[in-house]
Amino acid sequence: MEDLRTVEAQIASLVKTRDKILAGMADENKKLTNDSSLAVCDGMKNFTCVKKLEVDKDTVVCYQGVPGAYSQQAMFSFFGKEIQNINVPDFGDVIEMVKNGKADYGVLPIENSSAGFVNGIYDMVGNNDVTIVGEEEVHVAHALMGVPGSDLSRIKTVYSHTQGLLQCTNYLSRKPWKQCSVANTAVAAVKVIEEGDKTQAAIASELAAELYGLQILAKDIVNNDNNTTRFIILSKQKIFVEKAENISIRFSLPDESGTLYNILSHINLNGINMTSIESRPLTGRKWEYAFFVTMEGSLLDSRTRHALQGICEDAMDFRLIGTY
Ligand SMILES: O=C(O)C(=O)C[C@]1(C(=O)O)C=C[C@@H](O)C=C1
């Protein structure tokens, strides 16, 4: 019994020592990321580690579209239903509201599990001084809706966001309807109810149908049952939460053999998992591209910083666009 107690005491003391060392390492790492002289390049300077994002009763969040939009759902899931919010017509307006301080955070859709990246979002985020500080996934189960009293046989035109139409191609390919893309799925729902035309339908959420008094004509019309859209949370502050485990970067490369291979080897050789890559044409530079890469990792981890340092040194226009 005595022996057991001694062993337990020794274990407790070892655990204490281990925790002390780990805490020391974390502090050291925090200093490294906040010390701009040690930031590996300009594109990584001045990021500050925070325990959690600052959110209180005065916090304002901006999303694109109108109530009933999936962006609004993403906002509520991330910040809670009580959050003060404003909505704007275009994705670019969300960035402007964050940049000019009218909103503390912005919410934008970035990628859908079946239709791919949302066109133009990476360009906007990459070219503006905003930082990705969080992300939220929303399960997207679209419905087809029309004005009360309409039915499927009457429909001639269907409205939705381009992504909404792309996510329902299997269903739509069997219908001879004209497809029109509008700014947002919920905007499509508003258009249909306001115009009161029984030949029009919208593809949007069931929540939007309920909100605007539309009649559901068909449920769950998406190509894949697990259709999910990933939304990003933007801030104009260069911050990241301590627990962040994803890193998004932007860089460009000269049109030379092996350059992308070389860059990606920094990720591979440091044992880091890359989760997505998107290339976008560089305006004014024919056949040259900006790359947006997301990988698992933390700025507080030296292997991740090592990989980023390699990429910084070998690529052009490097920018850390967020860690979340
Ligand atoms: O937020 C909305 O409702 C939108 O219309 C935007 C958007 C998108 O751009 O991906 C959001 C989620 C769905 O994937 C479909 C459309």
Side-chain angles (χ1 to χ4, degrees), residues 64 68-72 91 109 112 118 140 142 161 163-164 167 183-186 227 229 231:
Q64 182 261 358
Y70 290 102
S71 294
Q72 187 199 32
F91 291 146
N112 174 266
V118 182
V140 171
H142 296 299
H161 184 271
Q163 276 277 336
Q167 292 158 24
N184 188 276
T185 56
N227 190 43
T229 299
F231 291 82

Side-chain angles (χ1 to χ4, degrees), residues 24-38:
M25 279 167 70
D27 282 352
E28 195 51 37
N29 273 328
K30 258 183 243 172
K31 265 188 243 146
L32 288 179
T33 42
N34 290 341
D35 182 342
S36 38
S37 66
L38 287 163

